[in-house]
Short mmCIF file of all heavy atoms in Angstrom, two decimals:
data_model
loop_
_atom_site.label_atom_id
_atom_site.label_comp_id
_atom_site.label_asym_id
_atom_site.label_seq_id
_atom_site.Cartn_x
_atom_site.Cartn_y
_atom_site.Cartn_z
N MET A 191 -29.28 -15.53 -72.11
CA MET A 191 -29.64 -14.15 -71.78
C MET A 191 -30.56 -13.55 -72.85
O MET A 191 -30.41 -13.87 -74.02
CB MET A 191 -28.37 -13.32 -71.67
CG MET A 191 -28.49 -12.21 -70.69
SD MET A 191 -26.95 -11.29 -70.60
CE MET A 191 -27.02 -10.35 -72.10
N LEU A 268 -15.12 -5.98 -71.82
CA LEU A 268 -16.48 -5.44 -71.96
C LEU A 268 -16.59 -4.50 -73.16
O LEU A 268 -17.67 -4.00 -73.47
CB LEU A 268 -16.93 -4.73 -70.68
CG LEU A 268 -17.05 -5.61 -69.43
CD1 LEU A 268 -17.69 -4.82 -68.29
CD2 LEU A 268 -17.86 -6.87 -69.69
N PHE A 557 -28.78 -0.98 -57.82
CA PHE A 557 -29.91 -1.87 -57.55
C PHE A 557 -29.44 -2.97 -56.60
O PHE A 557 -28.24 -3.16 -56.43
CB PHE A 557 -30.43 -2.50 -58.87
CG PHE A 557 -31.06 -1.48 -59.80
CD1 PHE A 557 -30.39 -1.08 -60.94
CD2 PHE A 557 -32.29 -0.92 -59.49
CE1 PHE A 557 -30.95 -0.13 -61.80
CE2 PHE A 557 -32.85 0.05 -60.33
CZ PHE A 557 -32.19 0.43 -61.49
N ASP A 559 -28.45 -6.02 -56.33
CA ASP A 559 -28.05 -7.16 -57.15
C ASP A 559 -27.71 -8.38 -56.30
O ASP A 559 -27.14 -8.25 -55.22
CB ASP A 559 -26.81 -6.79 -57.96
CG ASP A 559 -27.02 -5.55 -58.81
OD1 ASP A 559 -28.07 -5.46 -59.48
OD2 ASP A 559 -26.14 -4.67 -58.81
N GLU A 565 -24.84 -15.99 -61.81
CA GLU A 565 -25.33 -14.96 -62.72
C GLU A 565 -25.95 -13.79 -61.94
O GLU A 565 -26.56 -14.00 -60.89
CB GLU A 565 -26.42 -15.57 -63.63
CG GLU A 565 -26.87 -14.63 -64.72
CD GLU A 565 -27.99 -15.20 -65.60
OE1 GLU A 565 -28.22 -16.42 -65.58
OE2 GLU A 565 -28.64 -14.39 -66.28
N VAL A 566 -25.75 -12.58 -62.44
CA VAL A 566 -26.44 -11.43 -61.84
C VAL A 566 -27.40 -10.90 -62.90
O VAL A 566 -26.99 -10.32 -63.90
CB VAL A 566 -25.46 -10.32 -61.40
CG1 VAL A 566 -26.24 -9.16 -60.75
CG2 VAL A 566 -24.41 -10.85 -60.44
N ASP A 567 -28.67 -11.14 -62.66
CA ASP A 567 -29.67 -10.75 -63.64
C ASP A 567 -30.18 -9.35 -63.30
O ASP A 567 -31.18 -9.19 -62.62
CB ASP A 567 -30.81 -11.77 -63.62
CG ASP A 567 -31.81 -11.47 -64.72
OD1 ASP A 567 -31.54 -10.59 -65.56
OD2 ASP A 567 -32.88 -12.11 -64.73
N ASP A 568 -29.47 -8.34 -63.77
CA ASP A 568 -29.82 -6.96 -63.41
C ASP A 568 -30.52 -6.26 -64.58
O ASP A 568 -30.05 -5.25 -65.10
CB ASP A 568 -28.57 -6.18 -62.96
CG ASP A 568 -27.47 -6.16 -64.00
OD1 ASP A 568 -27.47 -7.01 -64.90
OD2 ASP A 568 -26.59 -5.27 -63.92
N ARG A 571 -31.02 -2.51 -64.58
CA ARG A 571 -29.88 -1.66 -64.95
C ARG A 571 -29.71 -1.62 -66.47
O ARG A 571 -29.37 -0.58 -67.04
CB ARG A 571 -28.60 -2.16 -64.26
CG ARG A 571 -27.42 -1.22 -64.47
CD ARG A 571 -26.18 -1.64 -63.68
NE ARG A 571 -26.30 -1.42 -62.26
CZ ARG A 571 -26.52 -2.37 -61.35
NH1 ARG A 571 -26.63 -3.63 -61.74
NH2 ARG A 571 -26.62 -2.09 -60.07
N MET A 601 -17.10 -1.64 -61.43
CA MET A 601 -17.50 -2.70 -60.49
C MET A 601 -18.05 -2.10 -59.20
O MET A 601 -17.74 -0.96 -58.87
CB MET A 601 -16.30 -3.60 -60.18
CG MET A 601 -15.10 -2.84 -59.67
SD MET A 601 -13.64 -3.90 -59.67
CE MET A 601 -12.37 -2.70 -59.95
N ASP A 602 -18.83 -2.87 -58.50
CA ASP A 602 -19.36 -2.42 -57.21
C ASP A 602 -18.17 -1.95 -56.38
O ASP A 602 -17.11 -2.58 -56.38
CB ASP A 602 -20.04 -3.58 -56.48
CG ASP A 602 -21.22 -4.14 -57.26
OD1 ASP A 602 -21.77 -3.40 -58.11
OD2 ASP A 602 -21.57 -5.31 -57.02
N ARG A 613 -24.87 -0.91 -54.85
CA ARG A 613 -24.07 -1.53 -55.93
C ARG A 613 -24.40 -0.86 -57.27
O ARG A 613 -25.52 -0.92 -57.73
CB ARG A 613 -24.35 -3.03 -55.99
CG ARG A 613 -23.92 -3.77 -54.75
CD ARG A 613 -24.19 -5.27 -54.84
NE ARG A 613 -23.62 -5.98 -53.69
CZ ARG A 613 -22.37 -6.42 -53.63
NH1 ARG A 613 -21.55 -6.24 -54.66
NH2 ARG A 613 -21.93 -7.03 -52.55
N PHE A 614 -23.40 -0.23 -57.85
CA PHE A 614 -23.56 0.48 -59.13
C PHE A 614 -22.84 -0.22 -60.27
O PHE A 614 -22.89 0.24 -61.41
CB PHE A 614 -22.96 1.89 -59.02
CG PHE A 614 -23.84 2.94 -58.40
CD1 PHE A 614 -23.87 3.12 -57.02
CD2 PHE A 614 -24.61 3.79 -59.19
CE1 PHE A 614 -24.66 4.12 -56.44
CE2 PHE A 614 -25.39 4.79 -58.62
CZ PHE A 614 -25.42 4.96 -57.25
N GLY A 615 -22.09 -1.30 -59.99
CA GLY A 615 -21.15 -1.82 -60.99
C GLY A 615 -21.78 -2.56 -62.15
O GLY A 615 -22.90 -3.05 -62.09
N LEU A 616 -20.98 -2.65 -63.22
CA LEU A 616 -21.30 -3.58 -64.32
C LEU A 616 -20.78 -4.96 -63.94
O LEU A 616 -21.11 -5.96 -64.57
CB LEU A 616 -20.63 -3.12 -65.62
CG LEU A 616 -21.08 -1.77 -66.17
CD1 LEU A 616 -20.23 -1.37 -67.37
CD2 LEU A 616 -22.55 -1.83 -66.55
N ILE A 617 -19.93 -4.94 -62.92
CA ILE A 617 -19.36 -6.20 -62.42
C ILE A 617 -19.66 -6.27 -60.93
O ILE A 617 -19.48 -5.29 -60.20
CB ILE A 617 -17.83 -6.22 -62.67
CG1 ILE A 617 -17.55 -6.19 -64.17
CG2 ILE A 617 -17.20 -7.43 -62.01
CD1 ILE A 617 -16.10 -5.98 -64.54
N HIS A 618 -20.15 -7.41 -60.51
CA HIS A 618 -20.45 -7.61 -59.09
C HIS A 618 -19.17 -7.95 -58.36
O HIS A 618 -18.34 -8.71 -58.87
CB HIS A 618 -21.46 -8.76 -58.97
CG HIS A 618 -21.87 -9.07 -57.58
ND1 HIS A 618 -21.11 -9.85 -56.73
CD2 HIS A 618 -22.97 -8.69 -56.87
CE1 HIS A 618 -21.73 -9.94 -55.56
NE2 HIS A 618 -22.87 -9.25 -55.63
N VAL A 619 -19.00 -7.39 -57.16
CA VAL A 619 -17.84 -7.75 -56.35
C VAL A 619 -18.32 -8.36 -55.04
O VAL A 619 -19.18 -7.79 -54.36
CB VAL A 619 -16.96 -6.51 -56.04
CG1 VAL A 619 -15.79 -6.87 -55.12
CG2 VAL A 619 -16.43 -5.89 -57.33
N THR A 627 -17.91 -10.93 -60.66
CA THR A 627 -18.86 -11.64 -61.54
C THR A 627 -19.45 -10.59 -62.48
O THR A 627 -20.07 -9.62 -62.02
CB THR A 627 -20.01 -12.27 -60.72
OG1 THR A 627 -19.45 -13.11 -59.72
CG2 THR A 627 -20.95 -13.08 -61.61
N ILE A 628 -19.25 -10.78 -63.74
CA ILE A 628 -19.81 -9.81 -64.70
C ILE A 628 -21.34 -9.91 -64.65
O ILE A 628 -21.90 -11.00 -64.76
CB ILE A 628 -19.30 -10.09 -66.14
CG1 ILE A 628 -17.76 -9.98 -66.16
CG2 ILE A 628 -19.92 -9.10 -67.14
CD1 ILE A 628 -17.12 -10.32 -67.51
N LYS A 629 -21.97 -8.77 -64.43
CA LYS A 629 -23.45 -8.77 -64.38
C LYS A 629 -23.99 -8.81 -65.82
O LYS A 629 -23.27 -8.52 -66.77
CB LYS A 629 -23.95 -7.49 -63.69
CG LYS A 629 -23.46 -7.31 -62.26
CD LYS A 629 -23.99 -6.02 -61.63
CE LYS A 629 -23.27 -5.72 -60.32
NZ LYS A 629 -23.69 -4.43 -59.72
N ASN A 630 -25.25 -9.11 -65.94
CA ASN A 630 -25.83 -9.14 -67.29
C ASN A 630 -25.73 -7.77 -67.96
O ASN A 630 -25.60 -7.69 -69.19
CB ASN A 630 -27.28 -9.62 -67.25
CG ASN A 630 -27.34 -11.13 -67.04
OD1 ASN A 630 -26.29 -11.80 -67.03
ND2 ASN A 630 -28.53 -11.68 -66.88
N SER A 631 -25.74 -6.70 -67.16
CA SER A 631 -25.58 -5.37 -67.76
C SER A 631 -24.18 -5.21 -68.37
O SER A 631 -24.00 -4.52 -69.37
CB SER A 631 -25.82 -4.26 -66.73
OG SER A 631 -24.94 -4.41 -65.63
N GLY A 632 -23.19 -5.86 -67.76
CA GLY A 632 -21.83 -5.85 -68.33
C GLY A 632 -21.82 -6.58 -69.66
O GLY A 632 -21.25 -6.09 -70.65
N TYR A 633 -22.49 -7.73 -69.69
CA TYR A 633 -22.57 -8.47 -70.97
C TYR A 633 -23.37 -7.67 -72.01
O TYR A 633 -23.07 -7.70 -73.20
CB TYR A 633 -23.21 -9.84 -70.77
CG TYR A 633 -22.31 -10.79 -70.01
CD1 TYR A 633 -22.69 -11.31 -68.77
CD2 TYR A 633 -21.07 -11.18 -70.53
CE1 TYR A 633 -21.87 -12.17 -68.06
CE2 TYR A 633 -20.24 -12.04 -69.83
CZ TYR A 633 -20.64 -12.53 -68.60
OH TYR A 633 -19.81 -13.38 -67.91
N TRP A 634 -24.38 -6.97 -71.51
CA TRP A 634 -25.19 -6.14 -72.43
C TRP A 634 -24.29 -5.09 -73.08
O TRP A 634 -24.31 -4.92 -74.30
CB TRP A 634 -26.33 -5.45 -71.66
CG TRP A 634 -27.14 -4.55 -72.55
CD1 TRP A 634 -28.18 -4.91 -73.36
CD2 TRP A 634 -26.92 -3.14 -72.76
NE1 TRP A 634 -28.63 -3.82 -74.05
CE2 TRP A 634 -27.88 -2.72 -73.71
CE3 TRP A 634 -26.03 -2.21 -72.25
CZ2 TRP A 634 -27.97 -1.39 -74.16
CZ3 TRP A 634 -26.11 -0.89 -72.69
CH2 TRP A 634 -27.08 -0.50 -73.64
#
Side-chain angles (χ1 to χ4, degrees):
M191 211 179 76
L268 297 188
F557 293 107
D559 304 314
E565 187 182 343
V566 182
D567 185 8
D568 57 340
R571 187 175 288 104
M601 54 192 150
D602 299 338
R613 296 181 173 274
F614 277 86
L616 296 174
I617 297 170
H618 180 278
V619 177
T627 305
I628 300 177
K629 300 180 191 176
N630 284 355
S631 58
Y633 290 118
W634 178 85

